[in-house]
Amino acid sequence: MRTMLKTTMSNVAALTPLLAASGVALAGGDGGIPFEKIGLHALNLVILLGVLGFVTRKLVRNGLIRRAANIREAIEASDRAQAAARERYAALETRLAGLEGQLATMRQEAETEAAAERALLIEKADIEAAALRANVARTVQAEAERARQRLRRHAAELAVQLAADQVVGSITDDDHVRLTRAFLASVQEGSEVSHG
């Protein structure tokens, strides 16, 4: 901007004497172009622009320096933010890769633990089934033994009953009398031994 201002001022300064000279030469008539007035206005404009340029050059220069510094600072801040974003992105990618590895490890550990738990449950179920089978076998054996004993008792009772029926059926009246006398004789002998 400063360069453009200088160029404009130098162009106006160069044209001012030409305009003034041509205005004097052409100002001959009443109806002509008032180049003299235009030249004076141009000279006033050049002086005004020169004074304004001189007065404001420090302000413009300082403003341009501040603007350049602000732009430079914004670019540096943008570069820092971009670098920080790249670092965060790289860190997140690394972390994500680590998480995927951890997830795979956790999945494998869970599968291993599940397989071990399954094997343990199967082993426990096999032990309980074996104990249950042994318990059922003992119960069946005990019930079979009780049934055999009941059958033996019942068979013995039936045999005694059958024998009693046969004996009762085969004893005659003479056998009754003889057995009664033998019984009384044995009772008498027992009482004599106990009194004697």
Side-chain angles (χ1 to χ4, degrees):
M1 184 166 168
R2 184 175 167 189
T3 309
M4 190 172 79
L5 184 62
K6 274 186 177 181
T7 306
T8 305
M9 286 175 52
S10 64
N11 288 340
V12 171
L15 289 174
T16 302
L18 285 173
L19 289 173
S22 64
V24 170
L26 294 174
D30 282 340
I33 299 175
F35 284 111
E36 190 176 311
K37 286 184 178 183
I38 293 173
L40 289 176
H41 284 302
L43 182 61
N44 283 338
L45 179 64
V46 168
I47 292 169
L48 179 65
L49 289 176
V51 170
L52 280 175
F54 181 75
V55 170
T56 60
R57 80 169 186 249
K58 284 187 177 180
L59 292 173
V60 170
R61 187 180 62 202
N62 289 342
L64 290 174
I65 289 171
R66 277 195 301 265
R67 177 79 174 144
N70 287 342
I71 290 171
R72 195 176 307 111
E73 187 178 313
I75 290 171
E76 288 173 358
S78 173
D79 289 344
R80 285 192 301 271
Q82 190 177 21
R86 282 189 186 127
E87 288 176 15
R88 278 191 303 242
Y89 179 74
L92 286 174
E93 276 192 341
T94 304
R95 190 172 171 197
L96 181 62
L99 287 175
E100 288 174 356
Q102 287 178 351
L103 182 62
T105 303
M106 289 171 63
R107 185 180 297 128
Q108 188 175 8
E109 288 175 357
E111 287 173 0
T112 303
E113 288 178 8
E117 185 72 23
R118 182 173 163 242
L120 183 64
L121 288 174
I122 289 172
E123 181 181 346
K124 200 174 195 181
D126 288 344
I127 290 171
E128 288 178 3
L132 188 60
R133 280 192 292 271
N135 194 13
V136 167
R138 280 193 299 273
T139 303
V140 167
Q141 195 173 15
E143 286 298 320
E145 185 61 33
R146 274 185 244 141
R148 277 193 288 270
Q149 288 175 358
R150 278 189 297 232
L151 282 174
R152 283 184 194 136
R153 245 182 284 133
H154 188 60
E157 288 172 1
L158 285 176
V160 167
Q161 182 67 36
L162 186 60
D165 289 344
Q166 284 180 353
V167 168
V168 168
S170 63
I171 294 179
T172 59
D173 288 334
D174 291 335
D175 291 332
H176 273 283
V177 171
R178 186 177 43 84
L179 286 174
T180 304
R181 285 186 191 154
F183 175 72
L184 289 175
S186 68
V187 169
Q188 270 182 345
E189 285 176 18
S191 67
E192 286 175 7
V193 170
S194 62
H195 289 300

